[in-house]
Amino acid sequence: MSDEIAFLDACETAARIASKDVSAVEVTETAIRRAEALQPSLNAFISLEADAALEAAAAVDQEIASGNDTGSLAGVPLAHKDMYYREGKVTTCGSKIRADFVADRTSTALAKLDEAGAIYLGGLNMSEFAVGPIGNNVHYGDCRNPWNTDHAPGGSSSGSGATVAARIVYGALGSDTGGSIRIPSGMSGVVGFKPTQNRVSRYGLMPLSFSFDCGGPLTRTVRDAARIMDLIAGHDPKDKTSSRLPVEAYEAACGASVEGLRIGIPSTYYYDDMNPDVEALVEAAQQVLADSGAILVEADVPDHEDMNLIWASALASEAASIHRKWLVERPQDYGDMVRRRIEFGLYQPATRYIEALTMRDTFLRDYCATAFRDCDVLLVPTMPITAPRLADVDVGGSEDMPAVVLRISKNTRPISYLGLPALSVPCGFTSSGLPTAFQLIGRPFDEATLCKVGHAYQQATTWHTRVPDIAQ
């Protein structure tokens, strides 16, 4: 499979299309051909909208030929986790219960990407109802990791990570409630951007947890993620919870110097119980940034045990309230693991739920005062391990599955509870050939600093240019 245009990033591809070096139709045809060729191996798509995509691409080419202004992603094929609603289209949410659900609205995030000229290629596989960090799905089949199809791609935005890594699409939206953007990006070797809570509108996004759900992009480069964030971030009148704070220019932050910027390395929690290969690669990433002029400093972080417990209680309570009717009327239509995890919320006392929400501001204030006292950002492993074998995390019966799941999401869960921004950046491959990543964590609404640091790292390294053998 030799498709030169498929191996460029989103920004480069948009520039090629705008300059007429290649047409949007040609780029889209290539993406469709790759999607169809790799689907039997990766099972990354739930729906592929080939005809509509080609029609949209032809419209972009016509606008360019007419000399009209086009958007910053004009003609660039994207696909998205199948829980972003598109009016008139089925949005399955990876579930049997919503297998025939036709959306009555288009999500604000998708609408903004449409306005920028991006081509919508289809809905991507995901963990059922966005529950689970592995990427398993008993209804549509497991999505698979492009670097080794015996291994998990990470969830719940499994198809988003796999399609970007396999050079099928140039970017994909995912959702993150406890790590579901950062984990699949880390396992699949791509960039994953979880913005500050409520920085991106959630209108038209199937909810899992009102308090913790967060939309964001998975891309090939930090600059690509920043460009998408420039488009989708900001207040949305249709989502009253979306932040009204001004949005910084994220792509413009890429390329700024990191000279003198202080990067905090926590001495506890995040670096505990690590795979030795992961530890070595993350430490090497620290040194790359130090060589680029950043200053590495030790950072203290508060105890995370209470945050993790209280996050789990609140998430389960909110998920159970959303699913209560279906749990009563259609319990047999859930996967066993998903049903058990959601039902857990039915037994949470109201006092525990209220405590989780009312304590959140206190935890956030204490965390920021402690962790960012002497630094601008934190750098930690996205996960302490690499992608497990799917056979070892069989949701139908593996005894090891619960412990592995907790370990995978150990470094992402507390950041979701706190609502902080985090950027996962690939930083190499272990001896088994699987990708690993570090996670940059910032102060609330300081996504621009994360873009600056992540881009500086990618300017000094080439890990993000590696392509899985299956995609060559």
Side-chain angles (χ1 to χ4, degrees):
M1 187 179 294
S2 178
D3 301 311
E4 183 261 345
I5 192 68
F7 300 102
L8 302 179
D9 62 37
C11 293
E12 293 171 315
T13 302
R16 292 276 190 97
I17 293 170
S19 66
K20 302 180 187 178
D21 286 347
V22 64
S23 72
V25 167
E26 290 172 315
V27 175
T28 303
E29 286 175 339
T30 299
I32 292 168
R33 184 168 64 249
R34 293 176 66 81
E36 291 173 341
L38 290 171
Q39 179 65 7
S41 300
L42 299 180
N43 193 32
F45 280 84
I46 289 178
S47 63
L48 181 62
E49 304 283 347
D51 291 342
L54 288 170
E55 183 178 339
V60 167
D61 286 334
Q62 182 58 51
E63 289 293 306
I64 293 173
S66 300
N68 297 328
D69 289 337
T70 54
S72 62
L73 288 175
V76 177
L78 309 177
H80 308 293
K81 190 175 188 177
D82 201 33
M83 61 189 294
Y84 283 86
Y85 298 166
R86 184 172 288 278
E87 185 176 4
K89 296 291 185 180
V90 171
T91 306
T92 69
C93 304
S95 70
K96 181 177 180 180
I97 288 172
R98 287 214 150 181
D100 300 315
F101 168 72
V102 178
D104 63 354
R105 70 200 72 178
T106 296
S107 85
T108 295
L110 291 193
K112 289 183 175 181
L113 293 174
D114 292 345
E115 291 170 7
I119 306 301
Y120 174 70
L121 213 62
L124 297 174
N125 205 348
M126 56 180 287
S127 303
E128 180 185 357
F129 283 123
V131 177
I134 303 300
N136 315 69
N137 191 300
V138 299
H139 306 295
Y140 298 92
D142 299 342
C143 184
R144 295 184 173 271
N145 193 311
W147 296 95
N148 186 328
T149 55
D150 289 334
H151 287 251
S156 60
S157 309
S158 51
S160 300
T163 52
V164 174
R167 283 12 184 208
I168 297 171
V169 296
Y170 298 85
L173 294 183
S175 69
D176 194 312
T177 307
S180 290
I181 288 173
R182 291 161 289 162
I183 290 168
S185 65
M187 287 192 189
S188 296
V190 299
V191 171
F193 206 158
K194 175 214 169 296
T196 306
Q197 187 69 35
N198 299 327
R199 177 77 289 179
V200 172
S201 171
R202 297 179 293 179
Y203 177 80
L205 175 65
M206 169 70 192
L208 173 63
S209 166
F210 307 113
S211 297
F212 308 126
D213 290 343
C214 193
L218 293 85
T219 58
R220 302 178 187 181
T221 69
V222 172
R223 185 184 173 205
D224 287 351
R227 179 168 294 192
I228 290 176
M229 280 295 298
D230 278 339
L231 294 169
I232 66 175
H235 179 66
D236 175 19
K238 296 178 179 178
D239 176 4
K240 302 300 184 184
T241 69
S242 59
S243 173
R244 294 178 179 272
L245 291 176
V247 178
E248 295 184 76
Y250 303 127
E251 187 176 354
C254 296
S257 173
V258 297
E259 186 77 32
L261 188 139
R262 298 164 301 165
I263 297 178
I265 311 298
S267 56
T268 58
Y269 187 77
Y270 293 102
Y271 284 83
D272 296 343
D273 191 26
M274 291 178 64
N275 173 295
D277 281 357
V278 173
E279 184 173 16
L281 289 165
V282 173
E283 288 180 353
Q286 297 171 12
Q287 188 58 49
V288 168
L289 288 167
D291 292 342
S292 299
I295 301 169
L296 304 182
V297 299
E298 288 189 8
D300 294 324
V301 293
D303 181 73
H304 287 63
E305 184 176 356
D306 287 343
M307 281 193 290
N308 284 331
L309 289 173
I310 212 163
W311 165 86
S313 174
L315 187 155
S317 298
E318 293 183 345
S321 73
I322 293 165
H323 287 263
R324 187 180 184 91
K325 185 174 184 288
W326 293 329
L327 289 171
V328 172
E329 297 177 355
R330 303 181 62 176
Q332 73 283 357
D333 290 336
Y334 287 91
D336 290 341
M337 183 273 289
V338 172
R339 186 182 65 252
R340 287 196 300 270
R341 289 190 64 181
I342 295 175
E343 283 178 337
F344 172 68
L346 297 174
Y347 307 104
Q348 296 300 304
T351 52
R352 183 71 167 175
Y353 173 66
I354 293 171
E355 179 185 38
L357 297 188
T358 56
M359 289 293 292
R360 193 180 188 191
D361 284 347
T362 300
F363 276 121
L364 175 59
R365 185 169 56 252
D366 292 347
Y367 189 95
C368 289
T370 303
F372 298 113
R373 181 177 57 233
D374 299 314
C375 67
D376 302 297
V377 298
L378 298 178
L379 189 156
V380 304
T382 300
M383 298 171 296
I385 60 175
T386 55
R389 294 175 66 251
L390 281 164
D392 295 334
V393 285
D394 174 17
V395 296
S398 169
E399 293 182 359
D400 297 332
M401 189 270 289
V404 173
V405 165
L406 287 174
R407 193 177 179 200
I408 286 171
S409 59
K410 167 181 172 287
N411 286 2
T412 58
R413 293 191 309 266
I415 305 311
S416 289
Y417 175 68
L418 296 169
L420 294 170
L423 177 68
S424 180
V425 181
C427 64
F429 296 83
T430 65
S431 56
S432 61
L434 293 169
T436 192
F438 63 83
Q439 177 184 198
L440 296 167
I441 303 166
R443 295 183 178 92
F445 299 101
D446 193 17
E447 287 88 356
T449 297
L450 304 187
C451 292
K452 177 167 63 175
V453 178
H455 181 76
Y457 175 78
Q458 290 195 323
Q459 290 296 102
T461 59
T462 59
W463 299 118
H464 60 287
T465 66
R466 302 283 184 94
V467 179
D469 289 343
I470 197 173
Q472 300 284 357

